[in-house]
Amino acid sequence: LRGKSKEVAKVTEYPITDCIHDLLSIVYFARNIDFDNMNAGEKIPVNLFMDKETWPLSVTYRGKQEKTRIKGNGKFKTLHFSPQVIAGEYFKEGTEMNIFVSDDQNRLPLIIESPLSVGSVKAVLKNYKGLKYEMKADL
C-alpha cells in the first residue's frame, strides 16, 4: 500500500451495454469504421462509460484531408473524425476531440487533440515501425 490510507476500495459493478467504450477505445473503434460511403458531418453513435455512468455520444466524420502536416514526418492523406466528450470537470460544453488517422489500410493515429477546461492536450505521432501494410498515405 502507498500513502497513509489502509482502506481497501470495494469492488463495485455497473450495468453496461454490449458495446461500450472509454475515451481511448473510441479512437480504435473509429479507426475501423468504413468511411468510404459516408459524407462529412455524418455521426456514428457510441456509448461511453465514464464517471460510473454510460453516456450516449457520437463520433462525427469530418472528411478526408489531403495534406495533414505531421511535424517531423511530412504530409499525409488523413481521415478526420471528432468524438464528443462529456462536459464537466475536464471538458467544456460542446467540446469535441479531433483525431486524424492515415488514409490507408493502417489507419495509423497521427494526431489526437482535445481542448480541456484549462488548456489543451495534443498527441502527435513521432515515428512508426513494423506496420502490417506499407505506409501509402505519405505524400
Side-chain angles (χ1 to χ4, degrees):
L1 291 173
R2 291 187 147 166
K4 296 179 183 179
S5 175
K6 294 191 181 195
E7 291 182 34
V8 176
K10 68 178 185 174
V11 176
T12 306
E13 292 184 21
Y14 298 95
I16 58 173
T17 61
D18 288 342
C19 187
I20 197 82
H21 297 281
D22 60 21
L23 278 175
L24 184 58
S25 71
I26 287 176
V27 174
Y28 290 99
F29 166 76
R31 289 175 59 204
N32 291 300
I33 295 170
D34 180 8
F35 292 108
D36 289 337
N37 297 316
M38 293 183 70
N39 296 313
E42 286 189 54
K43 295 181 184 290
I44 302 104
V46 294
N47 289 314
L48 176 78
F49 186 78
M50 188 170 167
D51 296 335
K52 303 176 187 177
E53 292 184 55
T54 299
W55 300 84
L57 302 176
S58 64
V59 175
T60 303
Y61 175 54
R62 300 287 179 201
K64 294 184 178 210
Q65 307 291 319
E66 287 296 317
K67 296 180 181 178
T68 302
R69 185 175 183 277
I70 308 301
K71 187 175 181 178
N73 282 318
K75 294 180 181 177
F76 291 78
K77 292 181 182 178
T78 59
L79 299 170
H80 178 196
F81 51 90
S82 299
Q84 266 184 306
V85 295
I86 302 163
E89 187 175 342
Y90 302 108
F91 304 105
K92 293 179 184 174
E93 185 71 37
T95 297
E96 290 184 337
M97 297 174 70
N98 284 296
I99 299 171
F100 296 84
V101 299
S102 60
D103 187 9
D104 62 4
Q105 288 180 297
N106 295 300
R107 298 272 177 98
L108 196 61
L110 301 172
I111 299 174
I112 301 172
E113 58 187 352
S114 179
L116 300 173
S117 56
V118 288
S120 64
V121 64
K122 183 175 185 177
V124 179
L125 178 73
K126 191 171 183 175
N127 58 45
Y128 57 88
K129 64 180 179 177
L131 298 176
K132 184 174 181 178
Y133 303 102
E134 181 183 345
M135 189 65 160
K136 295 181 180 177
D138 196 8
L139 298 172

